[in-house]
Amino acid sequence: MPKMLAAYLPGNSTVDLREIDRQKPGIGQVLLKMKASGICGSDIHYIYHKHLGDDPRTSYQGVVAGHEPAGQVVDLGAGCRHFKPGNRVAVYHISGCGFCRNCRKGFQISCTDPQRAAYGWQRDGGHAEYLVADERDLVHLPDTLSYRDGCFISCGVGTAYEAVLRGNVSGSDAVLVVGLGPVGMAALMLAKGRGARLAIGVDTQPDRVETAKKLGLLDHGFVAGPDALGAINELTKGGAAVAIDCSGNPRGRVLALQATRTWGRCVYIGETGKVEFDVSDDLLHRQRTIYGSWVTSVHNMDQCCEDLDAWGLHPHDIITDAFPLEKAPEAYALMAGGRSGKVIVEFPE
């Protein structure tokens, strides 16, 4: 059986590169030649530093890392009918049962079946030269989108896209994004694609605010601090129509809520941690709505690709660093530093 290089995450902020057997696709599966595979903030927090959680359905199970794969179909298992060799694809990173209510809605991320498995967490992911994926988890990449776009869409951009949908962003809206990491910058890009009339961003790091400005994603950017809320309210004449928290920080979440206008929509997508706010003053009396959003659906990921194609937008503009698989340890160390844009593993053509 042919061998290939693959990256594993044993914890302790290390990456283990191994030579492993290349698997063959089974019934309803395809073999992908990997082209790009992203590193997500959740990989850093939950796996790279230490393995969090003991539930085998949701915690890392010592598989090939990487839950943001994009590649080219090179072989088909029995029963595959919808994709063919040569197709360019991204991979929706949760493989669900296909039958529970959440899977029926396309939200495999919320699959309730014990066999639910995430690529790079409970089944082999994209940090290897080849990946076996279920055909039903594939998303077509339009010709205008690169493999770099595709790997980012597989999780981070898909998550941001769902937040923009939940917030129902339109051309009438001023949109605020709190937390300008890769997902936050993607949220700004997508909000502009949906026609947002004003894009505002906040981050604790001035260089991230400047990066977002240089990429043309921001109309106004603020460094987090005691004056940020007042500045946003003055700029928007009472608050943003839609606020999206990508920070996962308690203060960031409160800022996003308090900077949402009366009758506005606030979407939380930043993972981990807690939030505390005054229910009457910050929520009820202002008639605000809070949405919790986790990743997206396969259908919406398809739509995201179509929209990016139509808008002429490229999430790969947010990618600052790409490393070959052999340098995956350097890629993870850079991403863990928290000061880069999006970091990916990229494979030769």
Side-chain angles (χ1 to χ4, degrees), residues 99-184:
F99 292 96
C100 71
R101 289 292 179 92
N102 288 312
C103 282
R104 295 284 196 186
K105 287 169 66 72
F107 284 89
Q108 286 94 309
I109 182 68
S110 298
C111 176
T112 56
D113 191 277
Q115 297 302 309
R116 170 194 184 275
Y119 295 89
W121 291 71
Q122 295 88 42
R123 62 182 288 176
D124 286 342
H127 290 354
E129 295 170 274
Y130 290 86
L131 169 69
V132 171
D134 288 1
E135 185 187 33
R136 66 188 178 194
D137 301 332
L138 303 184
V139 174
H140 273 291
L141 278 182
D143 290 341
T144 58
L145 297 183
S146 67
Y147 287 115
R148 286 187 170 199
D149 289 322
C151 74
F152 199 0
I153 290 166
S154 289
C155 178
V157 174
T159 297
Y161 185 76
E162 187 68 29
V164 168
L165 294 183
R166 298 283 179 95
N168 195 26
V169 172
S170 75
S172 300
D173 298 330
V175 176
L176 167 69
V177 173
V178 179
L180 301 181
V183 175

Side-chain angles (χ1 to χ4, degrees), residues 176-180 202-204 224-225 228-229 232 243-260 266-270 272 274-277:
L176 167 69
V177 173
V178 179
L180 301 181
V202 177
D203 200 277
T204 58
L229 177 59
I232 294 166
I244 301 172
D245 177 69
C246 303
S247 72
N249 179 280
R251 286 174 292 184
R253 288 183 176 130
V254 171
L255 174 62
L257 181 61
Q258 293 179 339
T260 301
C266 182
V267 187
Y268 283 172
I269 60 174
T272 74
K274 299 180 180 181
V275 63
E276 183 176 336
F277 55 82

Side-chain angles (χ1 to χ4, degrees), residues 222-291:
F222 300 98
V223 177
D227 299 328
L229 177 59
I232 294 166
N233 283 335
E234 181 179 357
L235 175 67
T236 57
K237 297 180 173 58
V242 181
I244 301 172
D245 177 69
C246 303
S247 72
N249 179 280
R251 286 174 292 184
R253 288 183 176 130
V254 171
L255 174 62
L257 181 61
Q258 293 179 339
T260 301
R261 76 181 185 193
T262 299
W263 292 104
R265 291 91 69 193
C266 182
V267 187
Y268 283 172
I269 60 174
E271 290 270 14
T272 74
K274 299 180 180 181
V275 63
E276 183 176 336
F277 55 82
D278 188 304
V279 173
S280 293
D281 289 347
D282 293 332
L283 186 65
L284 305 186
H285 296 174
R286 297 296 298 273
Q287 304 282 9
R288 292 163 171 149
T289 301
I290 297 176
Y291 296 90

